Amino acid sequence: MGQLMTATNHLPSPIGSFDAYLAIVNGFTRLDAEQEYALACRFRDQNDLDAAQQLILANLRHVPYIAKSYSGYGLPQPDLVQEGNVGLMKALKRFDPEQGVRLISFAVHWIRAEMHEFIIKNWRIVKIATTKAQRKVFFNLRKSKKQLGWMTESEARKIAADLDIDVDTLRQMEGRMERSDMAFDSSPDDSDQTHQFSPSTYLQDTNLEPSAQVEALEQEKMQLSGLSNALQQLDERSRDIIKQRWLSESKSTLHELADQYQVSAERIRQLENNAIKKLKNGLSNVYSVEL
């Protein structure tokens, strides 16, 4: 595929003047079945990239026609055509001329698959079709509906039966597809209420603001200073128990401290609880002074 992409990287691009592109691709020489078969055999058997290029050029005219069926999604036709051209090249890589079908008949699946992938990724910021059944509805609902607006119950049942899905899945996708997109930033003309609910307002991250960073740094300093002062108020044994139980990377167990101080594990637990209470009181006093 990489060699094929390299060999065809100077193909006309649909990005730019689309009308000019259509004129170019429609001007390429058509191939009859015998010519196409011979070129396909050369590419398959000899990896002849010149033959591959001739096959691609002769079939580019079909991709814009396929792209027209997806015009209802509001995406630029040149972008869809470009994705479809990638699908055409992928199809050629897998094409077997001995099957007795024309290249474009075989390639339609690959062309549509690339366009589908592009639409799913770009039609909305959030994917609206995640399961196979939902994707089926996504690409068939618009052409199945007889009118704009919400479907009637009888229309929903008929379309669901035609697509071989349940009505709930159909209704769920209808709601997603009919939902309008919201601009990330509110415009200057928007009301205060509209601005309040725009994503730029409620998705903003204030953690990196200078004032928030300074406040967090001062808070951390105060906590460390308070903890240090509170620890100094403990007796040496209690202070050592707290450090070994809570402040050391390799924390000691109650039984290890019991062996160290030649007391029971229950006594160590009592000393630990008393020390924690004194620390809490000491920290509370520090914060009340700071405030």
Side-chain angles (χ1 to χ4, degrees):
M1 184 63 186
Q3 288 181 321
L4 182 56
M5 294 286 285
T6 302
T8 56
N9 61 6
H10 59 285
L11 296 179
S13 172
I15 306 303
S17 175
F18 193 51
D19 290 337
Y21 170 80
L22 293 177
I24 292 173
V25 297
N26 285 321
F28 288 129
T29 304
R30 296 174 181 266
L31 299 174
D32 59 32
E34 292 182 359
Q35 291 173 321
E36 184 177 273
Y37 174 81
L39 289 170
C41 288
R42 280 169 50 190
F43 175 61
R44 181 196 61 185
D45 300 334
Q46 305 170 28
N47 197 28
D48 188 333
L49 297 182
D50 180 64
Q53 185 178 23
Q54 293 183 57
L55 288 166
I56 293 296
L57 291 176
N59 286 278
L60 285 177
R61 68 179 73 242
H62 301 289
V63 180
Y65 177 79
I66 297 173
K68 285 183 180 179
S69 62
Y70 300 105
S71 58
Y73 295 97
L75 294 172
Q77 286 290 296
D79 290 344
L80 285 170
V81 170
Q82 183 161 280
E83 296 300 318
N85 289 345
V86 173
L88 176 60
M89 286 185 279
K90 288 184 177 181
L92 177 58
K93 187 70 176 178
R94 298 166 174 81
F95 181 57
D96 182 3
E98 303 297 341
Q99 295 298 318
V101 298
R102 298 298 296 268
L103 173 59
I104 189 59
S105 299
F106 175 79
V108 166
H109 166 77
W110 299 96
I111 294 171
R112 290 189 182 276
E114 290 299 316
M115 292 182 181
H116 288 182
E117 186 72 19
F118 177 77
I119 291 170
I120 289 293
K121 287 181 179 179
N122 294 277
W123 193 53
R124 291 281 172 83
I125 295 175
V126 180
K127 277 189 177 181
I128 70 168
T130 55
T131 67
K132 185 177 180 180
Q134 289 174 347
R135 287 192 291 270
K136 187 175 184 179
V137 179
F138 183 88
F139 290 109
N140 290 279
L141 183 57
R142 284 178 177 266
K143 63 183 180 182
S144 297
K145 290 175 68 174
K146 295 180 181 179
Q147 57 188 10
L148 295 176
W150 293 94
M151 293 178 290
T152 64
E153 189 61 31
S154 59
E155 186 182 7
R157 287 197 298 268
K158 182 179 184 305
I159 294 176
D162 291 341
L163 298 179
D164 193 25
I165 58 170
D166 58 81
V167 176
D168 289 340
T169 299
L170 182 70
R171 286 296 191 186
Q172 183 183 37
M173 285 302 299
E174 182 189 27
R176 294 184 184 185
M177 293 175 70
E178 294 294 335
R179 193 176 300 129
S180 59
D181 291 328
M182 178 186 291
F184 185 81
D185 294 305
S186 58
S187 66
D189 298 331
D190 288 339
S191 65
D192 291 339
Q193 185 175 4
T194 302
H195 175 73
Q196 181 181 357
F197 293 102
S198 65
S200 62
T201 300
Y202 59 78
L203 293 180
Q204 57 182 298
D205 185 1
T206 59
N207 292 331
L208 298 181
E209 292 183 0
S211 59
Q213 290 181 323
V214 171
E215 182 180 353
L217 183 61
E218 291 299 323
Q219 180 76 7
E220 183 179 0
K221 287 182 180 179
M222 187 173 70
Q223 290 175 345
L224 291 175
S225 175
L227 178 60
S228 177
N229 292 334
L231 283 171
Q232 294 304 317
Q233 304 303 316
L234 300 176
D235 61 83
E236 183 177 351
R237 182 173 63 174
S238 297
R239 185 165 56 248
D240 182 58
I241 290 173
I242 290 296
K243 286 182 178 180
Q244 291 197 55
R245 287 282 291 160
W246 296 98
L247 304 179
S248 176
E249 291 187 5
S250 56
K251 296 178 175 56
S252 300
T253 65
L254 292 174
H255 292 285
E256 289 173 342
L257 289 170
D259 292 340
Q260 177 181 339
Y261 285 104
Q262 297 298 306
V263 295
S264 66
E266 176 61 22
R267 178 56 181 161
I268 294 296
R269 187 185 65 79
Q270 293 173 354
L271 291 170
E272 179 186 27
N273 290 339
N274 291 334
I276 290 176
K277 289 179 182 179
K278 291 180 181 179
L279 284 176
K280 288 181 178 180
N281 292 332
L283 288 173
S284 298
N285 294 334
V286 169
Y287 288 141
S288 62
V289 171
E290 291 286 345
L291 293 174

